[in-house]
Amino acid sequence: MNDYDRIAKAIQFIRENLNRQPSLDEIATYVHLSPFHFQRLFRRWAGVSPKRFLQSLTLANAKQLLAESELSTLEVAGQLGLGSTSRLYDHFVNLEAITPSEYRSAGENVTIHHGQEESPFGRVFVGFTRRGICSLDFCDDHFDQASQTRELQRRWPNAELVEDSNGVKKLVNSVFEPAKQAGSPLSLLVQGTNFQISVWNALLRIPFGQLSTYSEIARAVGNPKAVRAVGSAVGANPIAFVIPCHRVIRSNGDLGGYAGGLTRKHAILTWESMRRECAEN
DNA sequence: CGCCATTAGTGGG
DNA sequence: CCCACTAATGGCG
């Protein structure tokens, strides 16, 4: 079992037993570590003690984050025309959209480099072309490399797939390393319907470490009643983590869903909120 | 009152 | 049809 698995297991345990406020000893025992070692591992991973983590984990906390983000940057998320390009993320991420039909007519001669690599939140499968990242998914038992490659080929039927573990390693480093801000902008290359693209754009506008809701996104894309459809579009996000679908939760404060598993969603959110606190202090 | 469980309504794929 | 949803509603302390 690697570190991420252990931490994930601990977090899940904490979540399930939140109302009992489990002690450090109890959690450490659960993941088969000594309290001392567990605390150190946890601190290294999250930058916070398990105790502090526990405190920040309540629903009240989630709702507070929600309230903070309510007023911020989401109200303007312009509908994006087909195939157009827009700069987002304070000019650090560049999202380029291609419709399925446009792809069919124009899109040959594309080579997609792909492979798996460890990330702070577990193994990921990544695909990228010369023009940008086109795929990023977390791996698990149901979604292994074989099926991920198959899915990639299905989405880009004319593309040539090439395994490239070196390239993938470099890419993953720049994606998950916060120092990426200093480097060149990330380019994303995605296919989707007009609706999906506008939703993914809205996701990119949620600031690091903050939360939004499905209904908020629906409002932001100018279709306030399409809440459920937004859920589907968010779920269809082809580039996990970079397009931050993990920052969207239910309006009542529940976590909602996540393709990579709820524990992982929770882990990423917690990590982000801690990172943000650190940056502020 | 507040806290839940249930449900009709919902729009895009 | 299927949904990574929500607001309204009613029951129960």
Side-chain angles (χ1 to χ4, degrees):
Chain A
M1 202 200 296
N2 65 28
D3 289 353
Y4 172 75
D5 289 334
R6 254 190 264 269
I7 298 292
K9 211 172 156 216
I11 286 179
Q12 182 157 36
F13 179 78
I14 294 172
R15 195 167 74 220
E16 281 164 3
N17 299 278
L18 237 194
N19 39 10
R20 281 195 305 110
Q21 295 281 303
S23 68
L24 177 67
D25 282 4
E26 193 183 342
I27 306 167
T29 308
Y30 182 74
V31 293
H32 308 297
L33 289 175
S34 74
F36 173 77
H37 187 194
F38 172 67
Q39 222 226 26
R40 211 173 44 164
L41 179 67
F42 199 96
R43 267 204 79 97
R44 177 154 52 86
W45 177 84
V48 193
S49 71
K51 174 81 173 169
R52 183 79 202 287
F53 175 85
L54 192 70
Q55 287 165 348
S56 71
L57 206 60
T58 59
L59 189 62
N61 179 275
K63 282 183 174 161
Q64 191 193 341
L65 272 175
L66 200 56
E68 282 173 23
S69 62
E70 195 96 56
L71 302 177
S72 63
T73 50
L74 254 183
E75 60 275 354
V76 206
Q79 295 277 87
L80 185 71
L82 297 185
S84 70
T85 297
S86 74
R87 300 186 66 79
L88 301 157
Y89 235 48
D90 292 322
H91 304 290
F92 285 120
V93 174
N94 180 20
L95 181 99
E96 188 166 350
I98 295 182
T99 63
S101 55
E102 185 184 358
Y103 179 72
R104 253 193 304 280
S105 56
E108 272 96 31
N109 304 325
V110 178
T111 303
I112 301 181
H113 297 243
H114 70 281
Q116 290 194 345
E117 181 60 39
E118 286 302 327
S119 85
F121 304 102
R123 193 160 260 276
V124 289
F125 175 88
V126 181
F128 63 95
T129 76
R130 209 194 327 251
R131 294 164 70 187
I133 309 175
C134 60
S135 177
L136 196 160
D137 286 297
F138 289 101
C139 309
D140 61 41
D141 302 334
H142 300 292
F143 214 29
D144 58 3
Q145 180 151 22
S147 57
Q148 282 170 322
T149 311
R150 224 176 304 125
E151 170 64 16
L152 188 59
Q153 187 68 260
R154 193 192 61 75
R155 275 183 13 221
W156 301 84
N158 298 324
E160 182 194 355
L161 301 194
V162 178
E163 192 154 356
D164 176 8
S165 49
N166 270 346
V168 165
K169 179 177 268 184
K170 252 183 252 169
L171 189 61
V172 168
N173 277 338
S174 75
V175 164
F176 289 93
E177 208 44 59
K180 74 179 177 193
Q181 309 274 336
S184 50
L186 284 178
S187 288
L188 310 184
L189 185 63
V190 296
Q191 296 175 62
T193 65
N194 196 14
F195 182 77
Q196 288 171 327
I197 302 291
S198 65
V199 168
W200 298 339
N201 263 306
L203 296 187
L204 284 168
R205 293 182 183 279
I206 309 172
F208 184 94
Q210 295 200 27
L211 297 176
S212 186
T213 68
Y214 297 97
S215 57
E216 226 176 78
I217 303 287
R219 258 178 280 138
V221 300
N223 216 333
K225 284 196 284 193
V227 185
R228 196 121 184 214
V230 163
S232 308
V234 170
N237 170 23
I239 309 180
F241 192 81
V242 182
I243 298 179
C245 57
H246 54 273
R247 294 181 195 146
V248 190
I249 67 176
R250 297 243 211 128
S251 359
N252 63 8
D254 285 353
L255 265 193
Y258 194 62
L262 283 183
T263 303
R264 185 176 270 109
K265 183 174 187 173
H266 206 162
I268 298 175
L269 284 179
T270 311
W271 179 81
E272 284 199 356
S273 82
M274 313 250 188
R275 295 291 297 243
R276 195 167 68 105
E277 268 178 41
C278 286
E280 279 168 2
N281 298 335

